[in-house]
Amino acid sequence: MKKSSFFALIMGTVSGVLFALGMCMALLPEWNAFTEGVVFGAVGIVLGVITTLVWCKMENKKLPKMNGKNVFRILYAIVAALVLGVGMCMCLVWEQIIWGTLVGLLGIVMLIALIPMIKGIK
């Protein structure tokens, strides 16, 4: 494993965990930590952007161009992640196990569909 891949793996995991923890803190009223959750979520997002920039620099790659195709991919990924999250909420918070599982599986399939969308099928 190259240093750049290892760095991206570790920093991407840390930023993802910070973002997820921040969202839990902000959205679960039992925790009474909305402001702290927003801060944690923002730090996770900023760390994710920094990770991407540093990884591109280490790999001597340019940042992806913001054209219509990439904007669609980003929006699709956001919607897919939200569908997965709604399925998780349906199972864990609203106690609708069957529907939550089906919605969560739909979100997972949508996220898996990103791979051929980005890499293509050869």
Side-chain angles (χ1 to χ4, degrees):
M1 179 178 276
K2 297 190 306 187
K3 282 184 190 179
S4 60
S5 298
F6 184 70
F7 171 80
L9 174 74
I10 298 299
M11 295 307 293
T13 302
V14 169
S15 66
V17 167
L18 282 175
F19 179 74
L21 181 62
M23 292 302 97
C24 288
M25 291 169 68
L27 298 175
L28 291 176
E30 297 88 16
W31 290 14
N32 290 329
F34 180 80
T35 305
E36 296 87 352
V38 171
V39 171
F40 267 67
V43 168
I45 289 173
V46 169
L47 196 57
V49 170
I50 291 172
T51 301
T52 303
L53 295 173
V54 171
W55 180 80
C56 285
K57 184 75 171 168
M58 290 174 80
E59 288 286 318
N60 294 322
K61 294 186 177 189
K62 295 179 182 177
L63 289 174
K65 295 192 181 350
M66 279 298 140
N67 55 21
K69 188 186 289 187
N70 285 341
V71 170
F72 171 75
R73 289 173 180 164
I74 291 168
L75 291 176
Y76 179 84
I78 291 169
V79 169
L82 287 173
V83 169
L84 176 60
V86 167
M88 291 174 58
C89 285
M90 289 174 77
C91 287
L92 300 173
V93 177
W94 302 327
E95 298 177 2
Q96 297 178 355
I97 303 300
I98 294 173
W99 285 109
T101 302
L102 293 174
V103 172
L105 285 174
L106 175 65
I108 291 170
V109 169
M110 289 173 72
L111 287 170
I112 290 172
L114 274 171
I115 297 169
M117 222 185 259
I118 293 171
K119 293 289 185 182
I121 298 175
K122 296 178 182 177

